[in-house]
């Protein structure tokens, strides 16, 4: 498969520019996007303005709206912060560790037979600079910062962008549609955020 | 590598000696003026095995970061930093014997000892009257001392990743506590007194040994985040109610009290008179019964914002004591007042 010839993005702005180009086409080469994101070496001073933490839970901070083809955002995870089990609304999801580590636990979609309890399929610790990929056909996942001493910061790309997703109760498989909100956009804290309804 | 005049500009009042592979910190080359101007001193990510007493010469210091070194104790000199507000000492080798005797006299507002080797929260820490934020995550704490209640300014308490098996009810005496993290411990039950933490906005209990919660938890009206994943929470109705049958003494006592059988102190031995005085009213408001030592612990499921069923523990005087319209134990729509928990209370239950 042909890949667009691109240079390794040296800065976050360069990465964003490359992503804009790649996503001009409607056909996404998952490996290509993963490689491009992985090759960007995280420079905290480039993304620090987006990295706004909340004491009580992880935050989503919009970086770029990607010409409506994708959303690029930075998630900030305090010690012990984790997400619910969730799907990705039929979109591609790429996640790159900019700082710290995150644990990703994969689950299958609950089915009528399993009568509750969702059992994890697999688990891994994503190291700094690595990029993980998931979509609904692969399954569902929970992402957590399990460290009690370090924060984590991750860069997420979703294509196409989505505003709602489903969250799942691990004990019962019960699902719930939630609206996702941004803690900040383009480095500015969003005024009066109704805290995300995402049940973690 | 010896220390040198720091990289930061003097006008910032910040001295940044972090990530320099320092084995020791020698403040001799720093002028007296510079020392007294310094408000923030960063010594994190070095190889210090001890903190020299000369740190006390930075007498206007407000923020000190000595995280990620190999510190086994804190020098006595640190207690002379009367203006110190924030002390970060994550990822060292500190334990409850590492703190100087007068550590409690510091005016600290933020203290972070996460990633050390504490097996107990040292009593000196409980004397920090101005402390607003305390983190001792990822240590070896087996318990929380009752003296935690002395930290009356505390708003944030992070104790995740320890070996804690019990929560002392004294924790409920902290009037400003908004964020309480107890995840990744060995907690089997939550004392109902925690319902007194009216300021609590976030409670993290994931990865513990909880099978149920006390029903009083519903009175935490400002609670917005509650994480319960990774607990062996009871899912289906427990058919066998947990009940130790009452003794004959208890049964006799209950009959006397609930039927108002008159008696006077001369009718029976004094110890029985005293026993009768210990009768407790059944917590079920719809029941007029009493109990002494034996009550039923029953788990009821509260349908929660139409989403999850939380197992909450109820105490009743006997297995017959249930709300009148529920004779089918399988029904989760009890006609108790908790059933209609408004959806805006406990909005985000982090059950996972």
């Amino acid at each position: 498969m042909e890949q667009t010839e691109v240079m390794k993005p040296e800065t976050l702005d360069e990465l964003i520019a490359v992503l804009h180009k790649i996503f001009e086409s409607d056909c996404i080469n998952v490996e290509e996007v993963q490689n491009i994101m992985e090759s960007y070496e995280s420079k905290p001073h480039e993304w620090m303005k987006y990295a706004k933490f909340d004491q009580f839970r992880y935050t989503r901070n919009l970086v770029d709206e990607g010409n409506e083809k994708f959303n690029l955002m930075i998630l900030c995870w305090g010690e012990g912060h984790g997400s619910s089990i969730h799907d990705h609304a039929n979109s591609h999801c790429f996640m790159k560790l900019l700082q710290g580590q995150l644990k990703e636990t994969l689950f299958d979609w609950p089915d009528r037979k399993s009568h509750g309890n969702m059992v994890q399929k697999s688990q891994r610790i994503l190291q700094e600079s690595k990029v993980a990929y998931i979509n609904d056909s692969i399954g569902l996942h929970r992402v957590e910062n399990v460290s009690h001493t370090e924060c984590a910061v991750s860069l997420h790309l979703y294509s196409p962008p989505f505003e709602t997703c489903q969250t799942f109760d691990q004990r019962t498989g019960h699902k719930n549609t939630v609206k996702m909100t941004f803690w900040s956009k383009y480095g500015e804290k969003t005024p009066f955020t109704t805290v995300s309804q995402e049940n973690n | 590598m010896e220390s040198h005049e720091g990289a930061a500009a003097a006008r910032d009042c910040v001295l940044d000696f972090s990530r320099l592979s320092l084995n020791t910190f020698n403040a001799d080359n720093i002028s007296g003026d510079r020392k007294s101007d310094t408000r923030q001193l960063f010594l994190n990510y070095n190889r210090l095995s001890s903190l020299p007493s000369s740190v006390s010469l930075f007498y206007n210091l407000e923020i000190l970061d000595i995280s990620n070194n190999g510190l086994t104790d804190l020098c006595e000199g640190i207690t002379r930093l009367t203006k110190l507000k924030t002390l970060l000492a994550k990822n060292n080798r500190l334990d409850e014997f590492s703190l100087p005797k007068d550590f409690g006299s510091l005016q600290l507002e933020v203290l972070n000892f996460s990633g050390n080797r504490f097996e107990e929260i040292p009593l000196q820490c409980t004397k920090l009257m101005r402390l607003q934020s305390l983190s001792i995550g990822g240590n070896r704490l087996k318990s929380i001392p009752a003296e935690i209640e002395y930290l009356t300014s505390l708003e944030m308490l992070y104790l995740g990743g320890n070996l804690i098996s019990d929560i002392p009810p004294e924790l409920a005496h902290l009037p400003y506590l908004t964020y309480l993290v107890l995840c990744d411990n060995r907690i089997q039950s939550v004392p109902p007194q925690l319902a007194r933490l009216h300021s609590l906005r976030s409670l993290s209990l994931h990865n513990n040994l909880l099978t149920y919660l006390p029903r009083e938890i519903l009175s935490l009206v400002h609670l917005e985040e509650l994480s319960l994943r990774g607990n062996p929470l009871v899912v289906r109705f427990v058919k066998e109610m947990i009940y130790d049958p009452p003794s004959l003494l208890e049964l006799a006592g209950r009959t006397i009290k609930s039927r108002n059988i008159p008696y006077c102190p001369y009718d029976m031995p004094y110890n029985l008179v005293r026993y009768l005085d210990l009768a407790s009213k059944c917590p079920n408001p719809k029941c007029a019964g009493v109990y002494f030592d034996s009550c039923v612990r029953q788990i009821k499921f509260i349908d929660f914002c139409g989403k999850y069923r939380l197992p909450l523990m109820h105490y009743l005087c006997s297995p017959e004591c249930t709300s009148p319209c529920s004779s089918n134990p399988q029904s989760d729509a009890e006609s108790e007042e908790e059933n209609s928990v408004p959806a805006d209370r406990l909005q985000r239950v982090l059950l996972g």
Side-chain angles (χ1 to χ4, degrees):
Chain A
M1 198 181 304
E2 256 197 46
Q3 289 198 0
T4 321
E5 278 235 18
V6 282
M7 309 262 283
K8 169 176 125 105
E10 293 295 329
T11 67
L12 182 60
D13 284 339
E14 269 179 43
L15 173 64
I16 295 172
V18 169
L19 290 170
H20 273 259
K21 240 179 121 37
I22 292 180
F23 281 88
E24 268 164 22
S25 139
D26 279 325
C27 200
I28 308 305
N29 180 334
V30 167
E31 238 181 79
E32 186 187 12
V33 177
Q34 240 177 317
N35 288 338
I36 294 286
M37 284 182 70
E38 202 153 310
S39 68
Y40 163 64
E41 281 172 36
S42 164
K43 298 180 180 65
H45 70 266
E46 289 176 357
W47 46 258
M48 232 158 31
K49 69 179 206 179
Y50 304 107
K52 298 184 190 307
F53 284 82
D54 179 37
Q55 180 169 81
F56 303 121
R57 50 162 297 145
Y58 74 93
T59 62
R60 305 169 78 243
N61 304 276
L62 183 65
V63 174
D64 192 88
E65 251 173 345
N67 268 343
E68 297 182 3
K69 290 292 189 74
F70 65 86
N71 266 355
L72 190 69
M73 61 193 77
I74 280 179
L75 271 59
C76 295
W77 313 75
E79 294 90 325
H81 289 175
S83 78
S84 57
I85 301 173
H86 57 273
D87 71 356
H88 297 88
N90 290 321
S91 293
H92 301 280
C93 162
F94 300 85
M95 169 168 64
K96 178 191 174 80
L97 262 297
L98 296 176
Q99 181 183 300
Q101 298 177 343
L102 289 172
K103 178 163 104 168
E104 182 193 32
T105 309
L106 286 184
F107 294 86
D108 278 324
W109 286 79
D111 58 32
R112 264 179 241 279
K113 276 187 296 174
S114 46
H115 279 307
N117 213 28
M118 292 168 72
V119 180
Q120 70 178 57
K121 248 191 335 190
S122 65
Q123 211 178 66
R124 58 175 168 166
I125 304 282
L126 297 163
Q127 306 292 337
E128 238 180 61
S129 90
K130 290 290 170 215
V131 177
Y133 170 78
I134 193 170
N135 66 43
D136 283 353
S137 65
I138 293 173
L140 309 167
H141 72 179
R142 183 200 301 288
V143 180
E144 304 170 81
N145 176 13
V146 294
S147 173
H148 300 292
T149 56
E150 315 306 325
C151 295
V153 181
S154 52
L155 180 69
H156 294 235
L157 188 153
Y158 299 102
S159 177
F162 57 94
E163 283 179 358
T164 65
C165 71
Q166 296 184 106
T167 64
F168 297 79
D169 174 13
Q170 187 171 353
R171 294 179 309 133
T172 60
H174 181 113
K175 63 181 194 274
N176 210 34
T177 302
V178 294
K179 195 165 182 321
M180 300 148 85
T181 57
F182 289 111
W183 185 254
S184 75
K185 290 188 181 181
Y186 316 111
E188 301 287 324
K189 172 85 183 64
T190 51
F192 185 64
T193 322
T194 317
V195 186
S196 170
Q197 299 163 287
E198 188 182 352
N199 284 298
N200 288 319
Chain B
M1 192 172 135
E2 294 299 309
S3 66
H4 55 279
E5 199 70 21
R11 63 178 148 77
D12 289 340
C13 314
V14 174
L15 273 181
D16 189 350
F17 287 111
S18 65
R19 298 168 203 270
L20 293 173
S21 304
L22 295 175
N23 293 309
T24 57
F25 174 60
N26 188 338
D28 288 351
N29 294 333
I30 302 170
S31 71
D33 277 347
R34 188 82 197 270
K35 283 190 179 94
S36 72
D37 281 345
T38 305
R39 299 283 178 276
Q40 304 183 25
L41 177 57
F42 293 93
L43 290 167
N44 43 323
Y45 289 101
N46 281 298
R47 295 177 195 170
L48 303 174
S49 53
S50 67
L51 192 62
S53 233
S54 55
V55 79
S56 65
L57 298 172
F58 294 82
Y59 54 85
N60 287 317
L61 207 57
E62 293 173 5
I63 297 177
L64 176 61
D65 190 345
I66 46 178
S67 300
N68 293 86
N69 279 281
L71 296 172
T72 49
D73 51 54
L74 299 183
C75 60
E76 187 272 332
I78 207 172
T79 61
R80 281 177 256 143
L81 296 175
T82 54
K83 306 211 178 127
L84 195 66
K85 294 214 177 73
T86 296
L87 176 61
L88 308 175
K90 298 188 301 182
N91 299 319
N92 280 292
R93 296 180 198 162
L94 302 171
D95 62 23
E96 58 270 25
F97 306 109
S98 305
L99 306 186
K101 190 163 66 75
D102 293 323
F103 186 79
S105 66
L106 286 170
Q107 303 298 304
L108 291 175
E109 293 173 3
V110 176
L111 177 58
N112 192 330
F113 279 143
S114 290
N116 278 286
R117 299 174 184 186
F118 287 91
E119 291 187 21
E120 272 178 21
I121 299 180
L123 283 181
Q124 296 104 310
C125 287
T126 63
K127 299 192 160 77
L128 296 164
M129 289 292 99
R130 294 196 194 253
L131 202 61
Q132 293 169 18
S133 168
L134 176 60
S135 302
I136 320 188
N139 274 274
R140 303 166 188 181
L141 298 177
K142 300 197 198 88
S143 62
I144 306 169
E147 287 84 351
I148 197 93
E149 64 178 344
Y150 298 156
L151 295 174
T152 47
S153 301
L154 206 62
E155 295 170 25
M156 199 286 266
L157 181 58
Y158 191 108
L159 297 176
N162 279 291
L163 303 166
I164 297 169
S165 51
D166 283 292
I167 306 173
E170 287 81 3
L171 196 56
H173 296 161
L174 299 175
Y176 301 112
L177 199 63
T178 33
Y179 186 43
L180 177 57
V181 180
L182 293 166
C183 61
D184 295 291
N185 273 290
R186 296 181 181 175
I187 297 167
Q188 293 181 26
S189 69
V190 172
Q193 293 89 334
L194 281 205
R196 291 180 48 187
L197 289 170
H198 298 305
S199 312
L200 205 62
R201 280 182 55 191
S202 176
L203 176 56
S204 165
L205 287 168
H206 58 270
N207 299 331
N208 272 289
L209 300 171
L210 296 169
T211 47
Y212 61 86
L213 294 175
R215 66 203 278 268
E216 288 81 358
I217 205 134
L218 292 174
S219 65
L220 290 172
V221 288
H222 293 118
L223 198 65
E224 292 168 7
E225 314 269 343
L226 171 62
S227 68
L228 290 171
R229 64 182 184 274
N231 278 286
L233 291 178
V234 177
V235 178
R236 280 195 298 280
F237 187 83
V238 175
K239 279 214 167 103
E240 273 181 48
M241 288 181 287
I242 305 143
Y243 181 49
D244 286 327
S247 60
L248 282 176
L249 176 61
E250 166 123 16
L251 285 172
R254 287 188 184 201
T255 306
I256 291 169
K257 283 289 177 180
S258 57
R259 297 197 189 186
N260 280 317
I261 295 174
Y263 64 91
C264 71
Y266 305 106
D267 290 337
M268 65 192 101
Y270 179 62
N271 62 314
L272 291 179
V273 176
R274 286 217 44 206
Y275 180 80
L276 287 172
D277 286 341
L278 295 172
S280 306
K281 281 181 53 89
C282 175
N284 180 355
K286 299 186 176 86
C287 173
V290 299
Y291 69 95
F292 291 83
D293 304 307
S294 168
C295 65
V296 180
R297 293 186 303 131
Q298 183 188 33
I299 291 176
K300 283 198 170 174
F301 290 91
I302 302 304
D303 196 41
F304 188 71
C305 308
K307 292 169 193 160
Y308 305 110
R309 292 163 80 233
L310 278 192
L312 300 182
M313 185 56 91
H314 288 58
Y315 290 87
L316 303 164
C317 66
S318 75
E320 284 74 50
C321 180
T322 53
S323 78
C325 46
S326 136
S327 50
N328 176 9
Q330 293 288 347
S331 119
D332 46 289
E334 309 294 345
S335 68
E336 305 255 347
E337 57 276 19
E338 297 95 55
N339 190 44
S340 49
V341 174
D344 58 352
R345 292 209 1 210
L346 293 182
Q347 280 165 1
R348 278 163 304 282
V349 178
L350 308 180
L351 288 174

